[in-house]
Amino acid sequence: MEHVHLVAEEDDLYSGYNDYNPTFDAEELDNDAGFQQAVRTSHGRRPPVSDRSVTYSRMPLASSMGRPMTGAVQEGTARPMTAVRAAGYSSAIIRGSTFDPLGQSKGPAPPLEGKSEDTPDEKVKILEKKVNDLIEESCLAHGRGDLQLSLDRAKEAGRKERALVRQREQSGNADHINLDLTYSVLFNLATQYANNDMYAEALNTYQVIVKNKMFSNAGRLKVNMANIYFKQKNYPKAIKFYRMALDQISNSHKEMRIKIMQNIGVVFIRMGQYSDAITSFEHIMSESPNIKSGFNLILCYYAIGDRDRMKKAFQKLICVPLGIDEEDKYIPPNDDTHANLVIEAIKNDKLHQMERERKTLAEKFIMTSAKLIAPAIEATFADGFDWCVEMVKSSQYIELANDLEINKAITYLRQRDFNQAVETLKTFEKKDSRVKSAAATNLSFLYFLEKDFDQADRYADLAMAADRYNPAALINKGNTVFVKNDREKAAEFYKEALRNDSSCTEALYNLGLTYKRLGRLEDSLDCFLKLHAILRNSSQVMWQLASLYEMLEDPHQAIEWLMQLISVTPTDPKVLAKLGELYDSEGDKSQAFQYYYESFRYFPSNIEVIEWLGAYFIDTQFCEKAAQYFERATLIQPNQVKWQLMVASCYRRSGNYQKSLETYKDIHRKFPENQYFHIVLILLCTDMGLKEVQDYATKLKKAEKMKEIREQRVKSAREGSARNARREGSASSGNPLYNKVVFSDSGHSSHGTSGKGERLSAKMRALPGSHEPYEASSQRDIDASYVDPLGPQIERPKTAAKKRTEDDDFADEELGDDLLPE
């Protein structure tokens, strides 16, 4: 208290205001070395004054209130405490301590105390989080397509949710049950049951939700229950639940009600109650028309055969607003760079893609409706198409009118009226380039099928001139060049078609065939492998791949592709026979027999398969079985003597000599002039000790004599023909008339007439005799195929099917001519 000065009553209260403190003298700051040093440095405090510096003594004065100055300390007095002190600043810094205003040198703060999980509230929160996580995992698994995992997670979420309810009841919080969580669990579980086709469980779960009055708006789920009944084809119950859902939805939800009514109409169509379906669809078209309902309404009118209402429904269909922007919106202006960038960004965004899909769907429904009702609304389908075209021209789908005209031509094709189809397509020659190109493409295709390759080439050129980027026109042009054997040029056209449309499978297939004909097997293989990646189940592509691997001498790969092929077409006899052939070439007789036998089961008239099976049973000493196959071959080719011989030989090998003899006699009656049968019968009768040996020996001598006579006549005829030719050459030089030369019995030439015997001889040379088969093998052919006259051995075929020549390949491998899709 000694430093506290009380103001006396007699002191002047306003004294001291005129006192001067030299500290505030700004005139001497220029001469203050300490101040100047502080100004030049970045520090905020005055550096210590050295001995050399000039110092000024200043007399601090007391304030008017008697409080000493903060910065100045009077002699003999301690420095007073200040109310404000800089953070972290103290005189200890001068003594070497670190600057630590945040107190980090004291170490990290102690961890926060965790909440105890033993409390009921914490347990409830943890269970709720687990249930929500399980629902989310179930939904994500369904999005990935893992239906079983999504169902498992939904079931687990149901178990956790029930445990949560029990936990709340035990803690006395039964009134605070989370109804939203319970609803989510049950709804997800029912949905996953339905996705896994467990319809009974799904319906039971939906019933639990619907019957619980605590769930608001649960009645809407009856739509889902009706959908399940529809999948089960329980149509009356589906309609019942659709109507129950409709009753529980207010009129403010107009779009939802329209969708339910559309479902009701579809169910009535499935039940064949077209009148009730018409009522639903008419209500929809009057309240909120849409493309699908309009199309279904046309189908119902078509089913009951109401022409006038079909027309009215078609007019309503083409007037349905799509609610999409015009395509002109996406045409960028040339002068506005910013607008060009914006249009480029939205040209292919999700919204524009949705608009294009909606427009494409509408055009599809309109085209289908027109093709459906055109033959029904007028006396002829041509008049019906004309009416539809006129209606479409007056609507927003004016560009579909030309497509309808082309479909009219295609309808003529289906009715085999090619002339009308051609006439209809020729009317497009003077229209715009797109339609002109499509019509010319179809005309080229038609002329190509009729093998009028010049006209096909002409219209292919016309289609290319109208639209050079039309892949179908390029394919047709390549086909016309292909049949003219200009394979390299055809390949160029197919390549150009692929450059314009990389997904054009016809061009890729034809290019592979062209490379195959050119002998470029590796390039052909590459084309068909690419095509197989696009068309995974195409039997033609697999056949070509197997054929190429066989040509590349890789039978194992060929067998692999044929095995894939029979998984697609298991009843194709040609594929099965080819597999048998490849296994036979590999030496696997058992597998070869299996596939040859399967081929025979599906097509028992393939003579090559029958021949292989008969030879196989002969090799395995089952001659009775072999005889059955050769008898079938006899039925297929009755004039081929070798099959009947094989039947007789099989009987002889099996020990049935009597049946064998009867068969040989039968063959001899059919072919009495064949000496081979005389020899066989003589030897067989000798072995059996029969008296008919002499008769057959006599017939053999007669046959040999007749053969000598025929050979002599043929030789004489040839010599006479040579002499006559020389005589005609000399006579024709002097006589311009033509002299007809005929041969007499003796072999000499005569003019104008001929003997009866020579006419018979000439006829026998031209055609087989009355008892001789047209396809009968000569003696040399029989000797080449059979070794022992009494034990004929058929020559085992190395391949079941004949080798495919180039012409055969072209006949089987039809080029993929492209007809404009409907």
Side-chain angles (χ1 to χ4, degrees), residues 48-251:
V49 181
S50 60
D51 297 338
R52 299 177 184 179
S53 62
V54 179
T55 59
Y56 294 89
S57 61
R58 292 174 181 151
M59 260 325 256
L61 298 178
S63 63
S64 60
M65 298 297 293
R67 182 180 181 274
M69 294 289 295
T70 300
V73 182
Q74 297 178 359
E75 292 182 1
T77 62
R79 185 178 183 278
M81 296 180 64
T82 57
V84 180
R85 181 178 177 182
Y89 180 81
S90 68
S91 59
I93 297 178
I94 302 175
R95 294 193 296 270
S97 62
T98 58
F99 179 76
D100 187 16
L102 300 179
Q104 296 179 358
S105 61
K106 298 179 182 179
L112 298 174
E113 294 182 1
K115 292 184 179 180
S116 176
E117 296 183 0
D118 296 334
T119 61
D121 292 340
E122 290 300 322
K123 290 181 179 179
V124 167
K125 290 181 180 179
I126 292 172
L127 279 175
E128 283 186 350
K129 186 177 185 305
K130 288 182 179 179
V131 171
N132 284 318
D133 292 341
L134 287 170
I135 294 174
E136 185 177 356
E137 289 177 15
S138 175
C139 296
L140 292 175
H142 177 261
R144 295 192 302 268
D146 193 347
L147 301 181
Q148 185 59 43
L149 180 62
S150 65
L151 180 59
D152 294 340
R153 293 292 182 268
K155 289 180 178 179
E156 189 175 355
R159 290 192 292 269
K160 295 285 186 185
E161 195 273 335
R162 288 192 292 273
L164 174 62
V165 172
R166 287 195 298 269
Q167 180 71 26
R168 285 185 182 275
E169 290 175 351
Q170 291 173 3
S171 61
N173 294 327
D175 297 337
H176 298 84
I177 294 176
N178 191 343
L179 291 177
D180 292 339
L181 184 62
T182 305
Y183 181 88
S184 301
V185 169
L186 292 174
F187 179 68
N188 181 59
L189 181 60
T191 304
Q192 302 309 328
Y193 275 136
N195 292 334
N196 284 270
D197 297 335
M198 301 172 66
Y199 297 131
E201 292 82 354
L203 288 172
N204 291 335
T205 310
Y206 279 127
Q207 283 286 3
V208 172
I209 302 174
V210 171
K211 289 182 178 180
N212 194 336
K213 302 300 183 182
M214 300 178 69
F215 297 139
S216 59
N217 298 323
R220 296 186 180 185
L221 294 183
K222 291 183 179 179
V223 175
N224 294 10
M225 299 175 70
N227 291 339
I228 293 175
Y229 284 123
F230 179 81
K231 291 179 181 178
Q232 293 179 330
K233 297 184 178 180
N234 191 349
Y235 300 131
K237 271 204 169 184
I239 291 177
K240 175 183 175 182
F241 276 85
Y242 279 134
R243 286 176 171 170
M244 289 170 66
L246 193 65
D247 293 339
Q248 296 186 13
I249 296 175
S250 63
N251 293 328

Side-chain angles (χ1 to χ4, degrees), residues 160-404:
K160 295 285 186 185
E161 195 273 335
R162 288 192 292 273
L164 174 62
V165 172
R166 287 195 298 269
Q167 180 71 26
R168 285 185 182 275
E169 290 175 351
Q170 291 173 3
S171 61
N173 294 327
D175 297 337
H176 298 84
I177 294 176
N178 191 343
L179 291 177
D180 292 339
L181 184 62
T182 305
Y183 181 88
S184 301
V185 169
L186 292 174
F187 179 68
N188 181 59
L189 181 60
T191 304
Q192 302 309 328
Y193 275 136
N195 292 334
N196 284 270
D197 297 335
M198 301 172 66
Y199 297 131
E201 292 82 354
L203 288 172
N204 291 335
T205 310
Y206 279 127
Q207 283 286 3
V208 172
I209 302 174
V210 171
K211 289 182 178 180
N212 194 336
K213 302 300 183 182
M214 300 178 69
F215 297 139
S216 59
N217 298 323
R220 296 186 180 185
L221 294 183
K222 291 183 179 179
V223 175
N224 294 10
M225 299 175 70
N227 291 339
I228 293 175
Y229 284 123
F230 179 81
K231 291 179 181 178
Q232 293 179 330
K233 297 184 178 180
N234 191 349
Y235 300 131
K237 271 204 169 184
I239 291 177
K240 175 183 175 182
F241 276 85
Y242 279 134
R243 286 176 171 170
M244 289 170 66
L246 193 65
D247 293 339
Q248 296 186 13
I249 296 175
S250 63
N251 293 328
S252 59
H253 298 85
K254 182 178 179 181
E255 186 176 354
M256 185 69 178
R257 293 178 62 85
I258 290 296
K259 288 181 179 180
I260 294 176
M261 292 199 68
Q262 187 170 342
N263 288 358
I264 293 174
V266 172
V267 177
F268 276 129
I269 290 178
R270 290 295 182 90
M271 297 175 66
Q273 299 180 15
Y274 300 113
S275 300
D276 296 329
I278 287 172
T279 302
S280 297
F281 291 128
E282 283 181 343
H283 175 75
I284 295 172
M285 294 301 289
S286 62
E287 294 291 331
S288 177
N290 60 78
I291 290 293
K292 288 185 180 180
S293 297
F295 179 71
N296 289 334
L297 185 59
I298 291 175
L299 291 180
C300 294
Y301 287 144
Y302 179 81
I304 64 176
D306 194 333
R307 292 186 177 184
D308 296 334
R309 296 169 83 179
M310 270 190 275
K311 290 183 177 181
K312 293 178 181 178
F314 185 78
Q315 291 173 341
K316 289 182 180 178
L317 179 65
I318 60 179
C319 294
V320 171
L322 295 180
I324 61 176
D325 295 330
E326 298 293 335
E327 288 296 326
D328 297 341
K329 170 185 175 181
Y330 299 100
I331 300 176
N334 296 325
D335 52 350
D336 193 346
T337 306
H338 178 71
N340 290 344
L341 292 175
V342 172
I343 291 174
E344 190 67 27
I346 67 173
K347 186 181 294 184
N348 200 32
D349 61 355
K350 295 293 184 181
L351 178 61
H352 194 201
Q353 291 177 9
M354 185 193 71
E355 290 177 345
R356 283 201 300 263
E357 290 174 0
R358 185 180 295 180
K359 185 176 180 181
T360 303
L361 183 64
E363 292 175 352
K364 176 186 174 183
F365 282 145
I366 291 171
M367 291 289 292
T368 306
S369 301
K371 289 187 289 184
L372 178 69
I373 68 174
I377 57 178
E378 298 291 346
T380 62
F381 85 93
D383 295 338
F385 264 109
D386 293 339
W387 181 87
C388 292
V389 169
E390 292 300 323
M391 291 296 104
V392 170
K393 284 182 178 178
S394 61
S395 69
Q396 56 182 327
Y397 305 99
I398 187 171
E399 66 275 5
L400 291 181
N402 293 323
D403 294 336
L404 279 174

